[in-house]
């Protein structure tokens, strides 16, 4: 759902929640209105913030998506993390901006694409990053770790179970967070991804795509 739709129809969101809506994907994309305009999102940051308030007040769990751009520096990752914390976003998703054929962005960067379509999975930067590959992916994974902190999930897990014992359904939903199994999976996946990417970029003989990367980024 778009955030501007949510703020136009909050009562509809409430009705959907009443009949069973228990998760919603919302494309926030960026944290600044100027960048949203550049992405042709036709939306504003204030709409995103207001949509988060509405969904939190209604009690609909949602997954705001923020695009991670290859041109990001570490400060850009930090600003997104601060935004997630300030707006109390429980389940953010951070896909890497990918030039999908047919889009304006694809036409702008098609000459820079060095990975095949096998890597168009929103988990690979398919054009050169401003940071080194190691720093880019390490900071990206760290963004997930910091957005789903172990201590916070353990605290919410405790509060949720106390709410269950007290019979408060509203508090159970309020304290719903990433469960411990998925929290473990997230960290396990992060370690696996770091290992996979390290091999991918350290051994350019593996694929023609990595040979291009090694040549372009002086590995």
């Amino acid at each position: 759902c778009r955030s501007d739709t949510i703020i136009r129809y909050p009562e509809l969101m409430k009705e959907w929640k009443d009949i069973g809506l228990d998760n919603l994907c919302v494309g926030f994309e960026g944290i600044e209105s100027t960048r949203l305009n550049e992405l042709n999102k036709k939306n504003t940051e204030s709409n995103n913030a207001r949509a988060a308030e509405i969904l939190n007040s209604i009690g609909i769990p949602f997954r705001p998506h923020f695009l991670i751009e290859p041109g990001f520096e570490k400060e850009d990752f930090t600003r997104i993390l601060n935004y997630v914390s300030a707006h109390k976003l429980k389940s953010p998703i951070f896909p890497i901006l990918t030039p999908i054929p047919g889009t304006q962005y694809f036409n702008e960067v098609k000459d820079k694409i060095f990975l095949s379509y096998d890597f168009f999975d929103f988990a690979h930067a398919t054009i050169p990053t401003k940071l080194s590959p190691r720093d880019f992916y390490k900071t990206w994974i760290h963004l997930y770790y910091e957005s789903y902190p172990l201590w916070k999930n353990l605290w919410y897990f405790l509060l949720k179970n106390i709410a269950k014992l007290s019979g408060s359904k509203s508090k159970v939903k309020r304290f719903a967070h990433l469960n411990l199994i998925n929290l473990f999976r997230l960290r396990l996946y992060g370690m696996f991804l770091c290992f996979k990417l390290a091999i991918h970029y350290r051994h350019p003989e593996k694929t023609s795509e990595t040979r291009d990367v090694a040549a372009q980024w002086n590995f």
Side-chain angles (χ1 to χ4, degrees):
C1 193
R2 286 176 57 95
S3 62
D4 53 356
T5 300
I6 293 169
I7 65 174
R8 279 201 304 269
Y9 305 107
E11 290 303 318
L12 178 60
M13 298 297 120
K14 177 65 168 60
E15 291 177 8
W16 280 353
K17 190 255 185 182
D18 291 341
I19 63 173
L21 177 64
D22 61 4
N23 216 306
L24 191 63
C25 290
V26 186
F28 278 24
E29 316 303 4
I31 61 175
E32 296 174 342
S33 295
T34 53
R35 185 54 183 145
L36 293 177
N37 288 334
E38 292 171 356
L39 293 169
N40 197 31
K41 181 66 178 176
K42 298 179 180 178
N43 207 349
T44 65
E45 184 281 325
S46 60
N47 281 348
N48 290 344
R50 178 59 183 148
E53 291 177 3
I54 291 171
L55 294 176
N56 282 331
S57 66
I58 294 175
I60 297 177
F62 66 103
R63 302 179 184 273
H65 286 58
F66 296 91
L67 292 175
I68 303 302
E69 302 184 35
F72 271 10
E73 299 187 66
K74 288 186 178 181
E75 294 78 10
D76 297 301
F77 287 93
T78 301
R79 287 167 53 234
I80 289 181
L81 181 60
N82 290 340
Y83 186 94
V84 167
S85 177
H87 293 279
K88 301 178 181 178
L89 304 178
K90 291 182 179 180
S91 306
I93 306 294
F94 307 107
I96 296 175
L97 181 59
T98 301
I100 303 300
T103 63
Q104 180 179 339
Y105 180 60
F106 177 85
N107 294 329
E108 292 173 355
V109 302
K110 60 183 178 182
D111 294 334
K112 300 178 182 179
I113 298 172
F114 58 77
L115 293 179
S116 72
Y117 289 146
D118 291 338
F119 297 91
F120 277 48
D121 55 5
F122 302 98
H124 285 81
T126 57
I127 67 172
T129 57
K130 192 168 185 178
L131 294 172
S132 69
R134 177 188 297 275
D135 286 343
F136 179 83
Y137 288 112
K138 184 178 179 181
T139 309
W140 175 57
I141 293 170
H142 180 74
L143 182 60
Y144 271 106
Y145 286 172
E146 290 298 308
S147 297
Y148 296 87
L150 181 61
W151 67 268
K152 188 174 184 179
N153 280 272
L154 291 173
W155 177 241
Y156 271 76
F157 175 78
L158 176 62
L159 293 177
K160 181 180 177 180
N161 280 280
I162 292 175
K164 282 184 178 179
L165 292 175
S166 67
S168 175
K169 293 183 179 180
S170 62
K171 287 186 177 181
V172 168
K173 292 183 178 180
R174 177 185 172 189
F175 296 128
H177 216 58
L178 197 66
N179 64 50
L180 298 182
I181 293 177
N182 286 334
L183 189 66
F184 173 75
R185 287 174 177 170
L186 172 65
R187 277 154 175 74
L188 188 64
Y189 175 71
M191 289 188 290
F192 166 77
L193 191 58
C194 283
F195 176 75
K196 175 179 179 293
L197 292 168
I199 293 177
H200 188 77
Y201 290 115
R202 283 178 186 169
H203 301 283
E205 70 277 5
K206 295 292 183 181
T207 65
S208 61
E209 289 83 10
T210 51
R211 283 198 297 273
D212 292 340
V213 175
Q216 191 164 359
W217 292 350
N218 299 317
F219 272 80

